[in-house]
Amino acid sequence: DTGVSQDPRHKITKRGQNVTFRCDPISEHNRLYWYRQTLGQGPEFLTYFQNEAQLEKSRLLSDRFSAERPKGSFSTLEIQRTEQGDSAMYLCASSYGELFFGEGSRLTVL
Amino acid sequence: AQSVTQPDIHITVSEGASLELRCNYSYGATPYLFWYVQSPGQGLQLLLKYFSGDTLVQGIKGFEAEFKRSQSSFNLRKPSVHWSDAAEYFCAAGVGQFYFGTGTSLTVIP
């Protein structure tokens, strides 16, 4: 088991472009979470899945954000029409109890 | 509304001194409770967790935490701090959906 992996690790994009992040959870974990973390802050909850069902979405997740977890395995987080305020570290975690985090995907919007 | 509060933004201790980091939560029922540590440029690592049972839980790296229901607290302690403990510490709470505090930055003076 290699833990939670996220791709890409870094993404630089221009304002208005779309970006997609991928998360591969620990294989036996049925829950998968997305968080956003900005400098000096704690992780902010965005959404989570149990298997393929999206159970909760934060109000932070505007209609420009969408997350999927087809077949209950990997997950993608897409941000459409990126804004400079979207610049942050996007963290994925999987769980069968406690959260196990990946290294994160850092987004910079120019 | 559910929330986690870490009252101390920054703490400085001398190496070898004891440490206590405070965490208070607001939740409808007793949530699962966690402490995570994050070193610069690194991912979040679980230090310890409380699900139920004994209110004093032991974690990795010599850390422990005590759950106090009456105070809605889950404070992290270490009897003797090492220079390598310098990092950002996050408390988290929840059931299904997990919320994080804003973190406490620990500086260790030689």
Side-chain angles (χ1 to χ4, degrees):
Chain A
D1 186 355
T2 57
V4 179
S5 63
Q6 293 188 242
D7 184 73
R9 294 291 307 280
H10 299 94
K11 178 71 176 178
I12 301 173
T13 191
K14 293 183 179 180
R15 189 178 54 180
Q17 299 295 304
N18 299 343
V19 296
T20 299
F21 301 113
R22 176 182 170 122
C23 172
D24 287 274
I26 295 170
S27 57
E28 63 267 27
H29 288 180
N30 62 348
R31 290 189 172 182
L32 186 149
Y33 297 76
W34 286 100
Y35 286 83
R36 181 174 68 187
Q37 187 177 25
T38 53
L39 196 62
Q41 298 297 314
E44 296 175 295
F45 171 80
L46 294 179
T47 188
Y48 88 100
F49 295 82
Q50 179 154 319
N51 300 313
E52 66 273 12
Q54 189 172 18
L55 297 187
E56 289 280 348
K57 289 196 297 184
S58 164
R59 59 178 174 79
L60 295 174
L61 217 62
S62 75
D63 56 5
R64 296 186 298 105
F65 288 71
S66 62
E68 295 182 341
R69 192 184 183 196
K71 302 178 183 178
S73 55
F74 72 92
S75 176
T76 58
L77 176 69
E78 181 183 19
I79 309 174
Q80 296 181 325
R81 306 182 303 281
T82 52
E83 302 172 356
Q84 288 184 324
D86 296 331
S87 295
M89 179 75 85
Y90 290 85
L91 300 170
C92 176
S94 69
S95 171
Y96 201 74
E98 63 266 38
L99 298 174
F100 290 86
F101 282 88
E103 294 293 319
S105 293
R106 180 171 297 283
L107 173 65
T108 302
V109 182
L110 302 176
Chain B
Q2 298 92 336
S3 66
V4 176
T5 302
Q6 294 181 247
D8 305 305
I9 296 173
H10 186 245
I11 284 182
T12 300
V13 299
S14 298
E15 191 168 18
S18 63
L19 172 71
E20 182 169 25
L21 302 183
R22 296 182 291 166
C23 173
N24 293 94
Y25 64 89
S26 174
Y27 208 84
T30 299
Y32 297 164
L33 296 159
F34 310 91
W35 276 97
Y36 285 85
V37 61
Q38 187 175 38
S39 298
Q42 302 296 311
L44 287 147
Q45 182 183 22
L46 179 69
L47 285 176
L48 45 77
K49 63 189 178 190
Y50 173 78
F51 287 170
S52 65
D54 193 347
T55 56
L56 184 64
V57 294
Q58 302 297 318
I60 63 171
K61 304 185 180 184
F63 285 93
E64 66 178 26
E66 185 172 13
F67 167 61
K68 292 186 177 180
R69 185 189 307 274
S70 61
Q71 298 177 18
S72 297
S73 70
F74 189 57
N75 293 348
L76 181 71
R77 300 194 294 249
K78 187 170 184 177
S80 178
V81 170
H82 188 263
W83 63 267
S84 61
D85 293 325
E88 190 85 18
Y89 290 81
F90 295 99
C91 180
V95 177
Q97 185 176 349
F98 297 100
Y99 295 90
F100 283 75
T102 51
T104 298
S105 177
L106 175 66
T107 297
V108 181
I109 299 174

